[in-house]
Structures are given as C-alpha cells and as structure tokens.
Amino acid sequence: MITLGLGRVHPDPAILAGVVMLYAARIGRVGELGHDAGIRRARLVVFTGAEQMVATGQITDAVTITSLFRARQADLGDV
C-alpha cells in the first residue's frame, strides 16, 4: 500500500481546535471489514465516480470532499 499525506483540515468552523490529518492510500483490494471497529459496509468507487457523487450530492461531508479536492490537486485522481 502506498500512502501520501494530503495535509490538515479543520472540519469545524474554528469554534473548536480540532484538526484532521488527511491521507490518500492506494490499495490493491479490500479484505474483511473491521466490524469490531464499527465498520458495517464498504463501497469501492473509482476516483471520478467519487467526484461525481460529490457533484450530485451523494457525498456531502467536508472531510471527504476536501480529501478528494486535495488528491486531485496532487494529481492522484487519474492514476
């Protein structure tokens, strides 16, 4: 697996000092889900599919949208 840091993002309106570190990872396959970690379902989509999901309102959380944007800026979207 290859991992690349995409920087920090403040997911709240700066009321709190919370910071999230963003990373991109290229993985070859998805194994068993971490049910003990609360993961119930996983969905694989290609990068452009995820961007389309943002455009159509299927993905609305700021951390995911920022991650996609920064990955696109780092030229990771089409590889």
Side-chain angles (χ1 to χ4, degrees):
M1 176 173 60
I2 299 170
T3 305
L4 176 68
L6 297 176
R8 300 165 31 152
V9 64
H10 298 270
D12 58 57
I15 294 171
L16 304 173
V19 174
V20 175
M21 296 299 295
L22 302 177
Y23 295 92
R26 181 171 302 281
I27 56 174
R29 66 180 188 86
V30 175
E32 289 295 316
L33 298 179
H35 296 288
D36 57 330
I39 300 172
R40 294 181 184 90
R41 185 173 65 123
R43 179 175 175 187
L44 296 176
V45 294
V46 296
F47 191 87
T48 54
E51 289 179 315
Q52 185 62 33
M53 291 172 77
V54 170
T56 60
Q58 296 175 66
I59 294 176
T60 59
D61 68 280
V63 173
T64 301
I65 293 169
T66 302
S67 297
L68 288 168
F69 176 75
R70 292 206 181 152
R72 174 60 71 193
Q73 284 184 312
D75 292 325
L76 300 175
D78 297 322
V79 289

